[in-house]
């Protein structure tokens, strides 16, 4: 019982993944990553949340954007623009190599989990980075403009259409990757739900048949880290989406969303007054992860909290 499993989406979740990777011994973290954002673009398979996890864990992430690579050049995009091509989804020159290589391997019949494993090893990443499934699951959002593909809504339209609901096409018949199931069944020390968007990034993972059951049967404390600080998302559209979905914009609504699944909730210190209203135990810390030290601190608080829940018999 030593490994830690973290369920994560892209930018926000990857910060916590990096904190966990830095405080845990090499090889003791498995990251189960949302693939509902994946799509085919310019003939390439793009897996944004996997890419963000890989770049972040390898120390290659673009610090300003959160996605893509640091020190990136954009000759391909500029040339594509001159040619009148589609440039709403920006692919940097270095990043492009990852999508081309992944697409080539998929074309050769390799599966997404083994491709991700090879790339993570090449990048020297100590964490086991696992797509939630090898099957196609595609997030589609119903908005006031009708139903849209996820990246069309998220990047092309900058989340401007009002969200009404989400569905994860293909999830009902998708199979959880074997490395993800193995990590959840080999008596993990803790399962952490990263501060990713619950509706867009974590729900696709939870929608896979058997996932909720595996989490509950793992015997490990399951804890979630709030993606909301004082009624605002650190980055991204979580608060806007909650308003549109007519949820209270509060960590309490996030905890409620995970009710029956999580044993504990990590609140930001500026929301500490809410602790008394939570039906489950909570830990309180500054959850804003600006520096590397912040990422390590939040990771540390999350794991200590999980350990204390286990010791208390809460799991
Ligand atoms: N996000 C953007 O807001 N604009 C982009 O042009 C963009 C390009 C991109 C390329 C590769 C990649 O792996 C991710 C990229 N993202 C971009 C991020 C991404 O699509 C979203 O942040 C996630 O899907 C939400 O988790």
């Amino acid at each position: 019982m030593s490994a830690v499993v973290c369920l994560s989406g892209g930018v926000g979740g990857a910060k916590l993944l990096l904190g966990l990777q830095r405080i845990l011994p090499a090889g003791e973290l498995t990251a189960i990553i949302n693939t509902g954002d994946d799509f085919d673009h310019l003939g390439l398979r793009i897996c944004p949340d996997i890419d963000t996890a890989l770049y972040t864990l390898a120390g290659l992430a673009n610090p300003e954007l959160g996605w893509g690579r640091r020190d990136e050049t954009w000759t391909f995009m500029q040339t594509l623009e001159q040619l009148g091509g589609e440039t709403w989804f920006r692919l940097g020159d270095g990043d492009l190599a990852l999508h081309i290589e992944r697409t080539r391997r998929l074309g050769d019949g390799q599966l997404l989990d083994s491709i991700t494993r090879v790339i993570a090893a090449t990048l020297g990443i100590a964490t086991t980075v696992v797509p939630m499934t090898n099957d196609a699951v595609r997030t589609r959002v119903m908005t006031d403009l009708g139903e849209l593909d996820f990246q069309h809504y998220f990047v092309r339209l900058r989340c401007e259409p009002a969200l009404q609901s989400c569905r994860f096409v293909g999830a009902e018949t998708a199979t959880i990757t074997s490395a993800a199931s193995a990590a959840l069944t080999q008596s993990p020390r803790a399962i952490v739900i990263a501060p990713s968007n619950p509706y867009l990034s974590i729900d696709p993972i939870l929608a896979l048949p058997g996932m909720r059951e595996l989490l509950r049967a793992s015997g490990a404390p399951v804890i979630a880290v709030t993606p909301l600080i004082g009624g605002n998302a650190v980055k991204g559209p979580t608060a806007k989406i909650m308003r549109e979905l007519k949820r209270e914009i509060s960590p309490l609504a996030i905890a409620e969303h995970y009710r029956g699944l999580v044993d504990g909730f990590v609140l930001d210190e500026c929301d500490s007054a809410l602790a008394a209203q939570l039906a489950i135990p909570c830990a309180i810390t500054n959850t804003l992860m600006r520096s590397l030290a912040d990422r390590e601190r939040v990771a540390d608080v999350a794991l200590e909290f999980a350990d204390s829940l286990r010791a208390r018999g809460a799991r």
Side-chain angles (χ1 to χ4, degrees), residues 128-171:
T128 307
V129 179
V130 186
M132 63 185 198
T133 180
N134 285 321
D135 301 320
V137 173
R138 297 293 175 257
T139 298
R140 289 187 49 89
V141 292
M142 182 55 82
T143 72
D144 54 352
L145 297 184
E147 196 175 51
L148 301 171
D149 286 339
F150 180 78
Q151 295 299 339
H152 190 106
Y153 158 77
F154 196 91
V155 173
R156 193 170 199 167
L157 300 177
R158 296 180 299 278
C159 303
E160 282 165 9
L163 188 76
Q164 293 162 354
S165 61
C166 311
R167 63 189 186 111
F168 311 114
V169 178

Side-chain angles (χ1 to χ4, degrees), residues 216 219-222 262-264 281 305-315:
R216 293 313 304 165
V222 182
V262 300
D263 305 298
F305 179 42
D307 290 345
S308 76
L309 291 178
R310 186 189 288 276
R312 272 194 265 167
R315 266 305 263 167

Side-chain angles (χ1 to χ4, degrees), residues 37 48-49 51 67 88-91 95 99 150-151 154-155:
D37 297 11
D49 289 357
D51 299 341
W67 52 267
W88 60 271
F89 195 82
R90 290 184 288 152
L91 298 174
D95 187 30
H99 311 306
F150 180 78
Q151 295 299 339
F154 196 91
V155 173

Side-chain angles (χ1 to χ4, degrees), residues 9-11 34 37-39 46-52 55 65-68 74 77 87-92 95 98-99 102 150-151 154-156 158 200-201 235:
V11 181
N34 169 42
D37 297 11
D38 296 9
F39 76 133
I46 318 283
C47 305
D49 289 357
I50 293 177
D51 299 341
T52 299
Y55 289 147
L65 297 173
W67 52 267
W74 300 92
M77 274 287 109
T87 54
W88 60 271
F89 195 82
R90 290 184 288 152
L91 298 174
D95 187 30
L98 173 58
H99 311 306
R102 175 193 291 127
F150 180 78
Q151 295 299 339
F154 196 91
V155 173
R156 193 170 199 167
R158 296 180 299 278
L200 299 177
S201 300
K235 193 173 189 294

Side-chain angles (χ1 to χ4, degrees), residues 236-271:
T238 305
K240 175 181 182 286
I241 284 172
M242 290 179 83
R243 192 174 312 116
E244 291 162 357
L245 294 177
K246 308 211 171 12
R247 310 282 161 93
E248 185 193 356
I249 305 168
S250 158
L252 294 176
I254 308 268
E256 175 62 22
H257 186 73
Y258 291 137
R259 188 151 63 101
L261 189 72
V262 300
D263 305 298
F265 195 76
V266 180
L267 270 178
D268 188 81
E269 57 194 10
C270 77
D271 293 312

Side-chain angles (χ1 to χ4, degrees), residues 205-217:
I205 305 178
L206 299 178
L208 297 177
M211 181 57 82
R212 284 173 179 272
E213 292 75 7
L214 277 177
L215 294 173
R216 293 313 304 165

Side-chain angles (χ1 to χ4, degrees), residues 82-114:
Q82 285 160 7
L83 293 171
E86 269 194 69
T87 54
W88 60 271
F89 195 82
R90 290 184 288 152
L91 298 174
D93 299 335
D95 187 30
L96 195 54
L98 173 58
H99 311 306
I100 289 175
E101 179 57 10
R102 175 193 291 127
T103 306
R104 181 190 72 77
R105 287 176 181 265
L106 285 168
D108 280 354
Q110 297 178 37
L111 296 175
L112 185 61
D113 58 351
S114 58

